[in-house]
Amino acid sequence: MPPDDRHRFHVRLRPPTAPAPPEALDPFDEPPYDYPVLALIGCADLAATDAAAEAGGFGAPWHFDVPYDLSAFLEGLDQLLTAFHDRTPHTLDLYPQGLERTLTFTFPTPDLVTVHCTSRTTWVPSPSTEHHPYDQLHAQLTTLAREFATALKTSGSRTAPRPPFPAWRAGHFAPAPVTIAHPDDLPRVLAARAPTRHHRVDTSAVTSLDDLFDAISRTLPLDPPLHGRGRSWDALDDSLFGGLHEDPDRTPLITFTDLTALSPAELHFLQEEFTSLAETLAAPARTRNRPTHVQFLIGRTDT
């Protein structure tokens, strides 16, 4: 007899049937926001509707609300979809009080996903590990992404037109522009991405953002060159845009072999810089209808 579905790992959204009252929506007056903040704001907007969420697994259904529990899961959904795409291990922290559990996803074979649950409360998962067919669990997660993006539009949330939600509504779940993986996993991720061109930035001597700036300047296509302009990240951004836009390859991938030496704040800065550059290069209006879909892959041992 198959196990009760409510007792196996799942996360589902019941979409709203009507918009939220305008006064209940986040004013969204201080952009730009990165994806986790957009997901948090979106769930707060959905909480003002009749939307509901359901989750469970590891032997029991969970108490799982929209503004706190679902938002914690959705804050990491973009990176989780990337992990599924590349079949690389990923850890998701469900931190809200009362939920307080960690899910670890691994991919022992191309057709199988292992999900391990660690509880930080008195609740004991039983079993603590589940095995799911890859296609089924991946379909569940992409369905959640599509329904969440659609629910944002239904609710009237001002997050609805922000990436990646339009792409999710259209059924496109490409990896996030910036992916962080263990250096040992880089070859597998690279093989999964199949870029038209691979730029490998050797970071073996990088211990600071200044070192990284120099490594990028030596390795990546720049237009115009940066001679005499110092270490200006704004100038580097403009030059990288020109170099990658003029390059004939439309889906390049740029790998930084290991940036473990950089601090979390420096890493966050890079994620914002590279994400903004990727979004600009992918915008037809900014590229004379000749978009480039660049991806950045960062090696780091503390992922």
Side-chain angles (χ1 to χ4, degrees):
M1 185 178 197
D4 184 345
D5 180 63
R6 296 181 70 240
H7 292 179
R8 296 264 293 166
F9 171 66
H10 67 280
V11 177
R12 300 190 185 99
L13 172 67
R14 189 187 72 199
T17 58
E23 65 274 11
L25 295 170
D26 188 282
F28 201 67
D29 55 1
E30 296 181 6
Y33 296 121
D34 58 11
Y35 168 80
V37 176
L38 291 172
L40 183 67
I41 293 172
C43 283
D45 289 342
L46 290 185
T49 71
D50 61 349
E54 174 191 311
F58 310 97
W62 303 347
H63 171 77
F64 201 78
D65 64 18
V66 170
Y68 302 108
D69 303 325
L70 180 64
S71 69
F73 187 89
L74 287 171
E75 282 173 45
L77 182 57
D78 63 334
Q79 291 294 330
L80 181 57
L81 289 173
T82 296
F84 266 73
H85 180 277
D86 298 331
R87 290 176 170 81
T88 53
H90 185 77
T91 299
L92 189 64
D93 181 22
L94 300 179
Y95 56 81
Q97 186 175 5
L99 194 60
E100 298 171 83
R101 61 205 60 176
T102 302
L103 303 180
T104 302
F105 299 80
T106 56
F107 304 85
T109 71
D111 300 323
L112 188 68
V113 184
T114 296
V115 190
H116 180 76
C117 179
T118 302
S119 172
R120 300 192 296 276
T121 69
T122 56
W123 173 69
V124 178
S126 179
S128 61
T129 300
E130 295 181 358
H131 304 282
H132 293 258
Y134 175 92
D135 289 344
Q136 290 182 17
L137 192 50
H138 185 243
Q140 180 191 137
L141 294 173
T142 55
T143 296
L144 176 64
R146 183 173 57 251
E147 290 183 346
F148 176 62
T150 302
L152 295 178
K153 192 172 183 179
T154 301
S155 71
S157 174
R158 293 173 178 86
T159 63
R162 299 284 175 165
F165 304 131
W168 285 4
R169 283 193 291 274
H172 303 308
F173 307 101
V178 181
T179 301
I180 302 173
H182 193 282
D184 292 345
D185 286 328
L186 295 186
R188 179 168 48 165
V189 175
L190 178 60
R193 297 294 173 89
T196 54
R197 184 172 182 185
H198 178 214
H199 301 274
R200 180 180 179 274
V201 180
D202 182 4
T203 59
S204 57
V206 169
T207 60
S208 67
L209 284 177
D210 284 349
D211 293 340
L212 181 61
F213 188 103
D214 294 340
I216 291 173
S217 301
R218 290 192 301 267
T219 307
L220 300 182
L222 303 178
D223 186 12
L226 290 174
H227 303 309
R229 302 185 68 178
R231 291 193 179 99
S232 165
W233 283 91
D234 287 340
L236 178 61
D237 184 78
D238 291 341
S239 187
L240 276 173
F241 174 87
L244 292 169
H245 174 63
E246 294 303 325
D247 197 278
D249 295 288
R250 302 269 63 85
T251 57
L253 185 145
I254 299 171
T255 295
F256 299 90
T257 52
D258 191 348
L259 294 182
T260 305
L262 299 187
S263 70
E266 290 172 323
L267 182 65
H268 181 70
F269 168 80
L270 288 177
Q271 286 180 282
E272 291 191 329
E273 286 286 312
F274 293 155
T275 298
S276 175
L277 176 60
E279 291 174 351
T280 303
L281 280 164
R286 301 290 298 275
T287 57
R288 302 189 297 276
N289 289 316
R290 190 169 170 267
T292 295
H293 299 281
V294 62
Q295 296 180 59
F296 297 89
L297 180 58
I298 296 174
R300 193 172 170 93
T301 57
D302 56 353
T303 58

